[in-house]
Amino acid sequence: MSVAVSPLAPKSYPEMPSLRGVRMATAAAGIKYKNRTDVLMMVFDKPASVAGVFTKSKCPSAPVDFCRANLAHGVARAVVVNSGNANAFTGAKGKQATTLTAQSAAAAVGCGENEVYLASTGVIGEPLDATKFAGVLGQMHSDATGDFWKQAAEAIMTTDTYPKVATRTADIGGVKVTINGIAKGAGMIAPDMATMLSFVVTDADIAPEALQALLSAGVGPTFNSVTVDSDTSTSDTLMLFATGAAAADGQARVEKGDDARLASFREALNDLLKDLALQVVRDGEGARKMVEVTVTGAENDAAAKKIALSIANSPLVKTAVAGEDANWGRVVMAVGKSGEMADRDLLAIWFGNVRVAVNGERDPAYSEAETTAVMKLEDIAVKVDIGLGNGTATVWTCDLTKEYVAINGDYRS
């Protein structure tokens, strides 16, 4: 089934610069899709520092297990990603597939299998024929080039309607560094890390320990604050690589995540992660609207986030948005069921800049016309003040449309 590009897609894509120390290639291995690329290989010609954050699912995919085991080594030379098959819930065959893929990649690049990272996305429960990789990885290693970011993003798409790319620059000790990232994700998206696949690379010289600290902190307000359908994938993988090429410009290696020289880099990385995360939400399967849910006045920040996610994940809230119906009663319902402290008579709710409820009842100045105008927008802000404390949180979601059901009703066929 061909799906039209999301109306919330970016109007243009950034020029993605080549990044020193990493090369990429794609191939069509015919894993599930015909006439399109479905394998991505990233090559680091010199060992790169690596950090990763993965799904919290108790049923993780074989590639997630493989990456977690290798992460302690801290060094990457190659990444192999395929779309069309998640290699999840595949038993002993899944482990055999990751082993064979890693062996093929290590042979192609000339590195250890513990320097290879793998990710797979697509159907759960289907054995992955890793022999399809063996024949293409050697050629991919030869063909790999630095100017290939958009094509890389396209190769890892499943139900995505557009590739997701972002780039930023930062300063470490007076030396300019670049950060590039790609992501894929449209469904089975919920904030339990990372809700999809994403690969971010910088030419900065940063040790694995510092890189991991940056990534673990950066994921909270970005990828762990987006939800399309409340379903946590088995395959979620977010990886950050540092090639160290900026050392040639005089950038001194950074060993610790709390190093003051990382201030600019941290800000740029977090901004890039948020950019990619919001691109995932804006490509939510069947999405026509993006919703920003902000909760203030909760008991604490954690409570605020739980309430915000209760609102963002409610099918009734999301279908009301799809129908452009300012049904704030559904927001009240979602606050009440969250399990966090709330006082009905202190609640205030806004759609856009229009306050629709205050002190536990409909706002006396409520205007149906003003509120309807807000609901017709592509980007809708929902704010809820709990009135109890200082806790705040913001999460992002999309509407729930008939197209979501259609896409997922025949996903395996």
Side-chain angles (χ1 to χ4, degrees), residues 93-386:
K93 292 191 183 94
K95 190 168 184 185
Q96 288 162 7
T98 57
T99 300
L100 181 57
T101 307
Q103 286 171 348
S104 301
V109 174
C111 68
E113 289 170 41
N114 61 1
E115 297 173 314
V116 174
Y117 289 84
L118 307 174
S120 299
T121 178
V123 174
I124 294 170
E126 291 285 333
L128 175 63
D129 181 2
T131 60
K132 291 184 175 179
F133 297 129
V136 297
L137 293 181
Q139 189 62 45
M140 290 173 80
H141 176 252
S142 302
D143 294 346
T145 175
D147 186 20
F148 217 65
W149 288 92
K150 190 158 175 279
Q151 297 93 323
E154 288 168 346
I156 63 174
M157 288 166 47
T158 50
T159 58
D160 306 58
T161 70
Y162 59 86
K164 297 156 185 73
V165 295
T167 183
R168 296 290 187 276
T169 57
D171 177 287
I172 300 179
V175 177
K176 179 187 166 189
V177 297
T178 303
I179 315 170
N180 286 356
I182 61 173
K184 67 80 50 184
M188 209 186 283
I189 302 291
D192 261 326
M193 199 45 305
T195 67
M196 38 83 254
L197 303 184
S198 184
F199 304 94
V200 181
V201 186
T202 178
D203 56 5
D205 193 5
I206 302 175
E209 180 190 344
L211 214 57
Q212 187 65 51
L214 288 163
L215 188 63
S216 296
V219 85
T222 59
F223 280 114
N224 277 351
S225 293
V226 298
T227 177
V228 166
D229 47 24
S230 83
D231 287 337
T232 298
S233 164
T234 59
S235 307
D236 298 341
T237 299
L238 167 61
M239 302 202 76
L240 173 59
F241 304 90
T243 70
D249 303 333
Q251 187 233 305
R253 184 172 174 88
V254 180
E255 298 288 346
K256 299 290 183 184
D258 59 0
D259 192 306
R261 291 171 296 170
L262 285 174
S264 164
F265 184 88
R266 181 181 293 106
E267 185 178 348
L269 174 66
N270 291 352
D271 196 48
L272 178 138
L273 293 176
K274 181 180 174 182
D275 184 346
L276 290 173
L278 293 190
Q279 287 188 55
V280 169
V281 174
R282 296 181 78 82
D283 202 16
E285 290 167 342
R288 294 291 175 267
K289 297 176 184 291
M290 188 169 94
V291 187
E292 180 180 84
V293 179
T294 301
V295 171
T296 60
E299 199 176 14
N300 51 51
D301 289 352
K305 188 161 186 180
K306 193 169 176 190
I307 294 168
L309 286 171
S310 180
I311 297 165
N313 280 327
S314 163
L316 289 177
V317 171
K318 290 156 67 70
T319 48
V321 172
E324 299 181 344
D325 177 14
N327 191 339
W328 46 268
R330 293 179 173 181
V331 176
V332 174
M333 172 279 296
V335 172
K337 75 168 184 174
S338 72
E340 294 300 323
M341 286 286 291
D343 184 329
R344 179 196 62 205
D345 298 333
L346 295 177
L347 277 186
I349 302 168
W350 289 257
F351 287 102
N353 292 321
V354 181
R355 191 173 68 179
V356 297
V358 64
N359 296 330
E361 61 180 335
R362 187 169 69 189
D363 192 307
Y366 175 79
S367 161
E368 185 76 29
E370 281 183 33
T371 316
T372 299
V374 170
M375 300 307 290
K376 290 193 176 299
L377 300 172
E378 276 190 353
D379 287 76
I380 298 168
V382 175
K383 182 186 168 190
V384 178
D385 188 73
I386 306 300

